[in-house]
Amino acid sequence: MTISVARPQLAPRERQVLAGLAEGNTLGEVASRLRLREGTARGYLDLAKSKLFGARSTESAIATGYAVNAITQPMPLPPEQLLLTPEQRALVPFIAQGMSAAQMAAQLTRPLNAVRRDGRELLAAAKAVNPAHLVTRTWQHQVLTEKQVMTWLP
């Protein structure tokens, strides 16, 4: 069964801000590159989040944006090039939803320190600079998929 979700229409600046964050840039860096004030860039990000089914985090906005083709998906990379432990792999959808380490630990019934350690190791293994960039890197390696994201959309 295929889930059909209407594609949200993001304005060009909303797409640019979200795409810049997906590349691992900070909001300040994205704003500077786009010649915007940081507050203006945050406004575009907030608008994009609201259009992307009320995404609560940058990570969930990026994942949702990829899943519904509201932003350009990154070039896929071979899944076998990203070696993750099962514990690290289990964190990916939770990080993509913008959950905190404490929320993930509770969901997975694992010690908080173990979840934090696995999260740090996951970022390093994926060569991601921050959680938003991790969404992009795991999407590229097909660890995070459209099917997973669609399960949490309204």
Side-chain angles (χ1 to χ4, degrees):
M1 179 173 141
T2 302
I3 300 171
S4 178
V5 176
R7 178 180 172 203
Q9 296 296 315
L10 300 182
R13 284 293 197 202
E14 294 164 354
R15 275 195 309 277
Q16 291 169 333
V17 168
L18 204 53
L21 294 169
E23 293 170 0
N25 298 305
T26 65
L27 188 60
E29 292 167 336
V30 172
S32 177
R33 190 178 79 211
L34 296 174
R35 299 176 192 246
L36 300 170
R37 291 185 181 164
E38 191 168 338
T40 303
R42 174 157 310 285
Y44 284 125
L45 174 60
D46 290 342
L47 285 169
K49 286 178 182 179
S50 69
K51 290 178 181 180
L52 293 168
F53 307 99
R56 287 182 263 161
S57 69
T58 300
E59 297 83 12
S60 63
I62 292 167
T64 302
Y66 288 152
V68 299
N69 294 305
I71 57 175
T72 304
Q73 294 182 3
M75 292 294 295
L77 297 171
E80 64 275 3
Q81 285 183 354
L82 183 59
L83 302 175
L84 301 176
T85 66
E87 294 80 12
Q88 292 167 345
R89 197 172 283 273
L91 295 180
V92 171
F94 295 119
I95 292 170
Q97 291 177 64
M99 286 188 181
S100 69
Q103 290 170 319
M104 290 184 269
Q107 282 287 131
L108 297 167
T109 60
R110 294 188 57 220
L112 179 58
N113 287 339
V115 169
R116 286 184 175 148
R117 180 195 65 237
D118 287 337
R120 285 189 304 273
E121 291 172 358
L122 172 59
L123 281 169
K127 297 181 175 109
V129 296
N130 57 38
H133 190 222
L134 179 70
V135 170
T136 298
R137 298 292 295 153
T138 55
W139 190 275
Q140 287 178 295
H141 288 283
Q142 295 123 61
V143 174
L144 180 64
T145 65
E146 178 182 341
K147 183 177 180 183
Q148 287 174 312
V149 175
M150 294 304 228
T151 63
W152 77 64
L153 294 182

